Amino acid sequence: MIKKDLRIVYLGTPKISAIVLEKLIANGYNIVALVSQADKPQGRKMILMATETKKVAEKYNIPVFQPAKLRDDYAFLYDLKPDIILTMAYGQIIPKVVLDIPTCSPLNLHGSLLPKYRGASPIQAALLNGDKVTGITLMEMVEKMDAGRMFYKKEINISEDDNYETLSLKLADLAYETFDEGIQDVVDGVNKGEEQDENLVSFTKKIKSEDSQITFRENTDEIVNKVRAFYPDPGTFFVYQNVKYKLGKVKKVKNIHNSTPGLIQNYDKNGFFIETADGVVSIEQIQKPGKNMMDFKSFFNGNQNLFKKSEII
């Protein structure tokens, strides 16, 4: 079967998944339906907002299904007669009864070079660990999480300036390319897939709100990478005088011996420098409660007496 004749049911929810979905549609793939997580209230007024993938599907008049629990509500999939069920950051475990529905192998676009970083947060894990390379794996979905055969991979370099937001955009483009280049051989049976080496498997964890706090007792690289991994959501923060200050970007300045973690080395128009467990970081972007994220120069102009040199945070 020609790849663009395939009846594809697409499962995905956040922005990275929406980008892939729109690329598939724009390039002529036959997306017969979207399955997304439920819409959620957002913002201060908690207004119910459509998921990012739903916005794309509705733009192209593609049917949308949002079961609260797919394992309990999947009968609609039989009527769709999918050749392929394709997931990209859906957010629910896919039950075996659903995996058995499509005529071809159920497929997933996973945001790492498997078997490294199975689980819910592979992109954040790569940034947290300071990796220089990551990628996308087109893989078979099986009952065990991210354990199926690997059909096709593509790599991408991670720059020092990448955070979750920028790396996700790059990986969204890469995910479409991975699927587009790899799917025909999978459908034709030319690519039988490669089993994952269980000795090389590593796992990621679901990101929790408590992971967001920065303490300057951490090492410099840990702080920098955490800010990168969690920007813009859920974000990172430190607490000073019972007030949370969010961080948008921090930079490693230098390593020092006998540092005093949390000590403010400098807070003036020349920069905001804080000692860590093994060095010094520069606060490049910071946000005060109720305000927007600012570059440090703009922040300092309006908050010149907020922090003082030699204080400990």
Side-chain angles (χ1 to χ4, degrees):
M1 182 180 286
I2 298 173
K3 63 184 182 181
K4 293 187 178 180
D5 290 336
L6 295 165
R7 293 177 59 82
I8 301 173
V9 173
Y10 187 87
L11 283 71
T13 302
K15 182 176 180 179
I16 184 173
S17 190
I19 294 170
V20 177
L21 174 60
E22 187 149 28
K23 284 181 174 292
L24 289 166
I25 297 167
N27 286 281
Y29 280 96
N30 182 22
I31 308 298
V32 298
L34 165 71
V35 182
S36 167
Q37 292 270 56
D39 299 337
K40 292 184 178 180
Q42 296 181 24
R44 292 180 181 177
K45 295 184 179 180
M46 299 300 285
I47 298 172
L48 193 66
M49 299 290 290
T51 64
E52 295 297 323
T53 47
K54 183 178 180 180
K55 293 174 187 176
V56 172
E58 290 181 336
K59 176 180 174 182
Y60 294 96
N61 297 314
I62 291 170
V64 178
F65 299 87
Q66 296 177 281
K69 294 182 179 179
L70 187 61
R71 67 174 181 265
D72 298 329
D73 182 8
Y74 56 83
F76 63 91
L77 289 168
Y78 291 105
D79 295 331
L80 294 169
K81 297 180 173 60
D83 295 306
I84 287 178
I85 286 177
L86 174 64
T87 69
M88 175 74 183
Y90 170 48
Q92 291 190 37
I93 295 173
I94 314 298
K96 186 177 187 303
V97 66
V98 171
L99 299 178
D100 290 339
I101 292 174
T103 56
C104 301
S105 294
L107 300 172
N108 178 46
L109 288 163
H110 186 72
S112 78
L113 299 171
L114 289 172
K116 192 175 187 180
Y117 301 148
R118 290 182 186 176
S121 55
I123 303 173
Q124 292 95 330
L127 290 165
L128 284 169
N129 291 326
D131 292 355
K132 304 300 182 185
V133 176
T134 187
I136 295 288
T137 304
L138 177 63
M139 60 168 296
E140 174 191 32
M141 280 195 292
V142 295
E143 284 188 274
K144 188 177 178 181
M145 184 177 62
D146 299 328
R149 291 174 293 163
M150 303 175 295
F151 293 111
Y152 195 62
K153 296 182 185 180
K154 287 193 70 128
E155 292 186 359
I156 193 170
N157 292 328
I158 303 175
S159 78
E160 290 185 359
D161 291 328
D162 271 327
N163 55 32
Y164 177 77
E165 183 175 56
T166 62
L167 187 55
S168 292
L169 293 175
K170 294 176 183 179
L171 286 171
D173 290 340
L174 193 70
Y176 169 74
E177 293 171 10
T178 304
F179 180 81
D180 186 53
E181 293 174 16
I183 187 58
Q184 190 68 63
D185 283 349
V186 175
V187 172
D188 290 344
V190 174
N191 185 344
K192 303 294 185 183
E194 175 188 353
E195 297 292 341
Q196 297 186 41
D197 185 343
E198 293 293 327
N199 294 317
L200 300 178
V201 170
S202 60
F203 292 92
T204 66
K205 64 178 184 177
K206 186 174 181 179
I207 305 300
K208 299 179 180 179
S209 58
E210 53 263 36
D211 298 324
S212 296
Q213 184 167 358
I214 295 292
T215 72
F216 294 97
R217 293 184 296 277
E218 300 170 79
N219 291 335
T220 301
D221 287 339
E222 292 174 338
I223 293 169
V224 171
N225 289 337
K226 185 183 287 189
V227 174
R228 295 168 69 207
F230 297 160
Y231 183 86
D233 185 46
T236 51
F237 67 90
F238 68 88
V239 177
Y240 173 71
Q241 294 185 350
N242 297 317
V243 177
K244 290 183 179 180
Y245 294 88
K246 294 189 74 172
L247 296 170
K249 183 179 181 181
V250 299
K251 184 186 295 184
K252 181 177 181 177
V253 178
K254 61 182 177 179
N255 292 328
I256 57 174
H257 297 293
N258 301 318
S259 62
T260 303
L263 178 70
I264 298 175
Q265 276 197 353
N266 202 70
Y267 180 76
D268 59 27
K269 64 181 181 179
N270 296 312
F272 188 9
F273 301 100
I274 304 173
E275 293 189 16
T276 69
D278 65 349
V280 179
V281 293
S282 169
I283 308 301
E284 303 287 302
Q285 293 176 339
I286 186 170
Q287 180 179 358
K288 196 175 181 179
K291 303 293 183 179
N292 294 324
M293 185 69 70
M294 300 180 184
D295 64 85
F296 174 69
K297 184 176 181 180
S298 299
F299 180 87
F300 179 76
N301 287 338
N303 299 277
Q304 294 187 17
N305 299 314
L306 189 58
F307 299 97
K308 292 180 175 61
K309 186 177 179 180
S310 300
E311 285 185 316
I312 294 179
I313 295 176

